[in-house]
Amino acid sequence: MPDNLYLFSAIAVSTAVTFGLRALPFAFIAKLRSNGFINYLALRMPLGIMVVLVAATLPAGIMDSAVAWPVAAALAATVGLHLLKSNAVLSVLGGTAVHVGILSWPL
């Protein structure tokens, strides 16, 4: 069994590495804000993330009708909310709420 000094040292090193990795991007924030590629990604990535999520989620069981219609309803709610409000967070939360609500409803 490891002694206490070893455990506390491991925790301290893990904490320092985690803090350093999270703080590192802030050291370069001024250069990143003026970078055209980063600005392009900031504008395009919400849509890109949604496309990746749809591509990863839909094939999982779409052929089963018990899975297909809740997924279709959630997808329609997500797209509809995004077209109405243009807010990615609201769209994802709304679509998730529709999907969970349908799956939780006793049939």
Side-chain angles (χ1 to χ4, degrees), residues 1-16:
M1 176 167 215
D3 63 354
N4 289 340
L5 179 61
Y6 176 78
L7 292 175
F8 288 130
S9 299
I11 291 171
V13 168
S14 298
T15 302

Side-chain angles (χ1 to χ4, degrees), residues 40-106:
Y40 174 79
L41 286 179
L43 291 173
R44 301 292 186 245
M45 281 313 294
L47 177 62
I49 291 169
M50 294 294 287
V51 169
V52 168
L53 287 173
V54 168
T57 303
L58 287 181
I62 200 69
M63 295 304 185
D64 183 12
S65 64
V67 175
W69 81 268
V71 169
L75 182 62
T78 303
V79 170
L81 279 170
H82 195 69
L83 290 175
L84 284 173
K85 298 294 182 180
S86 296
N87 185 335
V89 174
L90 178 65
S91 303
V92 171
L93 289 177
T96 303
V98 168
H99 190 259
V100 170
I102 291 171
L103 293 180
S104 299
W105 194 268

Side-chain angles (χ1 to χ4, degrees), residues 20-55:
L21 288 174
R22 291 181 184 222
L24 188 63
F26 293 103
F28 301 105
I29 195 107
K31 289 185 181 189
L32 291 176
R33 288 182 193 228
S34 63
N35 188 319
F37 180 68
I38 298 297
N39 290 331
Y40 174 79
L41 286 179
L43 291 173
R44 301 292 186 245
M45 281 313 294
L47 177 62
I49 291 169
M50 294 294 287
V51 169
V52 168
L53 287 173
V54 168

